[in-house]
Amino acid sequence: MLVPLFSIPSVRAWGIGEIGDLPAFAAWVREAGHSFVQLLPVTEVASGETSPYSAMSAMAIDPIYISLADVPEFQAIGGEDVASPPARYALDFVRRSRRIRYDAVRALKRDALRAAYDRFSACADAPRLAAFESFVECEGWWLSDYARFRAIREAMGRPWTEWPEALRHRDGNALSSMERELERRIRYYSYLQWIADEQWHAARERAGIGLFGDVPFMVSGDSADVWVRQHEFQLDRSVGTPADAFSETGQNWGLPVYDWDAVKASGDEWFRQRARRSAALYDGYRIDHIVGFYRTFVRPLQDGRPFTPYFSPADEPSQRAQGERVIASFRSADALVVAEDLGSIPDFVRESLAELRLPGYRVLRWSRDWHTDGHPFIDPAGWPARSVGTSGTHDTTPLAEWWETLEREDRTALLEIPALASRGLNASSPFGPSIRDALLETVLGSGSGLVILPIQDLFGWLDRINTPATIGPHNWTWRLPWPSDRLLEVPESHGRARELAVMTGRHGRSHLASGAHTD
């Protein structure tokens, strides 16, 4: 089941899905006969940002996901019961909102978490303090640079590229001076990651299902990782995509471009670190935009400049060698890995993924024989076992909208798939429960070893997570219509869970237990 963490707030959550909400949501997922949840990235993004694919860190969990109800220090000072009248009003507002109000939630949680840290600094007992220090030591391989970056970034109030030259270039004396000056802030950001890590592992253990993550192709240029490894990036250019199914003009992501020679010279260290961190948090993870690791589409930092976009590396042999080397780095940790291979993918990349035995995606709407007249749909029953079958992604229109916008001839072609043809469906029928469940069962009955279904499609909702190549409050702000800890109490959601369990059982979808691997 595909759902962003931010979309599943509980009754007690502060206006956004939180780490502590995962076990309650997982109970409904199990009731629905599903065995794992595919999340979007949960890494920290900057204030004012909402896209989880433009993070300030490839390693740090966003503190916005911390469950304040489970922070001992916050509860020790009275929790939300001692909030000021303005804070109470703001908290009520974000809880009642139909959309995630990121700025308001961040402001509320920032104040609460700072108060919790003050309590920790003043009153932590020996065992709790020792647990914190142990975390700082064990996770220092990524945490120290992250906490230092966040503290300096807060103090400076501007991107690292605008810091004084000595700090920008990580001069040892300048860094030592800032560490002494900002020691408390650095410990504060380490404390937030400790709290998030404790909550994450507790929630994962209680969930009783697999948790899958999503490893973005890139992080924001204004991130701890790029600051630390700036020699491995070209900061005057931008990652993007050529024209594809998502955008007629392609996309310009505004994210820095890898300097692939420098990355290779490092032994792909950063990718190995990202794999290590992801494996510590998840049972498996999706590598986002896999084709970009074979060949990156380079665009101007800002559209409108005289610039000829190009692929890096430029030739196919180099692209293949690079992609396979990077994938090996991402597979260096103990977790199940799948590849997001959607969009304009060269044949050699698909051949490479097949040889590497790395599962790619099969999306019902795009699984067609484009070389045959009429572009007949490929029968999902023939999808390879080493693949991820799905009805859509967080970037696509929901199943309901797709059906309603299909041309009559395309609907007719779709209904010629044997699993659909046997149901006697009418191409003129509007989208409804019978169409919805027929399409879902076609994916569930596919040959794919893994099936991931967006939660919107499971209900037949029209809501979208993201509309690519657009910016606005319609993106990354969707939340469930019911609290995640009430899903088994709401007749509509509980009844739907039971229907879904029957579907998965009918197609023999075996349970993928937490920590299990498939070939």
Side-chain angles (χ1 to χ4, degrees), residues 273-291:
Q273 290 182 344
R274 294 175 74 186
R276 176 183 174 185
R277 178 66 172 153
S278 297
L281 297 176
Y282 303 105
D283 299 295
Y285 47 89
R286 184 188 86 142
I287 304 177
D288 176 54
H289 191 55
I290 196 73
V291 68

Side-chain angles (χ1 to χ4, degrees), residues 278-438:
S278 297
L281 297 176
Y282 303 105
D283 299 295
Y285 47 89
R286 184 188 86 142
I287 304 177
D288 176 54
H289 191 55
I290 196 73
V291 68
F293 293 108
Y294 284 83
R295 58 178 202 179
T296 305
F297 193 66
V298 182
R299 304 186 67 135
L301 193 58
Q302 294 182 333
D303 287 327
R305 287 177 49 201
F307 191 99
T308 301
Y310 63 92
F311 283 108
S312 175
D315 62 278
E316 182 178 315
S318 298
Q319 292 168 0
R320 180 161 185 158
Q322 174 176 283
E324 293 179 355
R325 191 192 76 241
V326 170
I327 287 172
S329 299
F330 274 119
R331 299 176 91 175
S332 61
D334 185 25
L336 175 63
V337 179
V338 301
E340 186 273 285
D341 58 346
L342 306 177
S344 302
I345 308 295
D347 290 341
F348 82 86
V349 171
R350 297 205 184 280
E351 293 169 3
S352 172
L353 295 176
E355 291 180 11
L356 294 173
R357 301 165 67 86
L358 186 63
Y361 272 63
R362 295 296 185 275
V363 185
L364 179 62
R365 68 191 67 188
W366 296 325
S367 186
R368 308 183 70 166
D369 184 352
W370 299 104
H371 303 293
T372 302
D373 290 342
H375 309 312
F377 283 83
I378 296 171
D379 185 358
W383 290 349
R386 193 174 293 105
S387 68
V388 179
T390 186
S391 56
T393 75
H394 66 274
D395 280 331
T396 64
T397 57
L399 207 54
E401 183 178 347
W402 175 59
W403 172 267
E404 291 296 339
T405 56
L406 270 180
E407 298 292 340
R408 174 63 183 267
E409 56 268 29
D410 287 327
R411 287 190 187 181
T412 300
L414 177 66
L415 295 181
E416 290 175 357
I417 292 174
L420 293 171
S422 63
R423 291 174 175 262
L425 298 171
N426 191 325
S428 300
S429 298
F431 188 85
S434 60
I435 299 293
R436 176 198 64 194
D437 290 352

Side-chain angles (χ1 to χ4, degrees), residues 81 172 245 317:
D81 291 339

Side-chain angles (χ1 to χ4, degrees), residues 190-256:
S190 297
Y191 168 82
L192 295 185
Q193 289 306 304
W194 173 55
I195 293 294
D197 191 79
E198 280 196 327
Q199 291 190 1
W200 185 273
H201 289 291
R204 183 177 172 188
E205 183 176 352
R206 291 170 52 209
I209 59 172
L211 291 183
F212 275 42
D214 194 358
V215 178
F217 176 70
M218 178 53 69
V219 292
S220 170
D222 186 24
S223 64
D225 307 85
V226 176
W227 175 58
V228 171
R229 296 180 171 275
Q230 51 194 278
H231 63 287
E232 295 182 24
F233 299 93
Q234 300 179 59
L235 301 177
D236 61 341
R237 302 173 190 199
S238 172
V239 173
T241 66
D244 59 17
F246 295 119
S247 173
E248 293 181 357
T249 58
Q251 300 177 47
N252 191 339
W253 296 346
L255 302 175

Side-chain angles (χ1 to χ4, degrees), residues 58-237:
M59 312 293 181
I61 296 174
D62 198 323
I64 202 172
Y65 295 124
I66 290 175
S67 300
L68 282 160
D70 298 329
V71 178
E73 289 79 21
F74 184 63
Q75 295 309 308
I77 59 176
E80 64 180 82
D81 291 339
V82 297
S84 66
R88 285 175 177 271
Y89 177 83
L91 181 55
D92 182 60
F93 169 72
V94 298
R95 280 175 167 163
R96 288 186 292 106
S97 176
R98 296 181 61 185
R99 291 276 176 179
I100 308 301
R101 305 287 181 169
Y102 284 93
D103 289 345
V105 173
R106 285 196 186 282
L108 282 166
K109 290 200 169 186
R110 181 179 59 244
D111 292 344
L113 289 167
R114 287 193 185 279
Y117 176 68
D118 289 342
R119 171 77 180 197
F120 174 79
S121 296
C123 305
D125 58 28
R128 192 151 174 78
L129 185 60
F132 169 66
E133 299 294 353
S134 176
F135 172 79
V136 170
E137 181 179 356
C138 291
E139 300 299 319
W141 59 275
W142 67 269
L143 182 63
S144 60
D145 280 324
Y146 160 78
R148 185 188 300 142
F149 170 83
R150 288 294 284 115
I152 300 174
R153 179 69 171 77
E154 181 185 17
M156 293 291 172
R158 55 188 185 273
W160 70 264
T161 52
E162 299 175 13
W163 294 355
E165 183 177 2
L167 288 176
R168 211 167 55 236
H169 295 297
R170 297 173 52 80
D171 175 78
N173 291 331
L175 286 179
S176 296
S177 176
M178 290 301 289
E179 285 171 3
R180 289 190 296 271
E181 180 181 339
L182 302 176
E183 179 183 5
R184 182 176 175 82
R185 291 193 196 189
I186 291 172
R187 283 179 66 81
Y188 167 67
Y189 284 108
S190 297
Y191 168 82
L192 295 185
Q193 289 306 304
W194 173 55
I195 293 294
D197 191 79
E198 280 196 327
Q199 291 190 1
W200 185 273
H201 289 291
R204 183 177 172 188
E205 183 176 352
R206 291 170 52 209
I209 59 172
L211 291 183
F212 275 42
D214 194 358
V215 178
F217 176 70
M218 178 53 69
V219 292
S220 170
D222 186 24
S223 64
D225 307 85
V226 176
W227 175 58
V228 171
R229 296 180 171 275
Q230 51 194 278
H231 63 287
E232 295 182 24
F233 299 93
Q234 300 179 59
L235 301 177
D236 61 341
R237 302 173 190 199

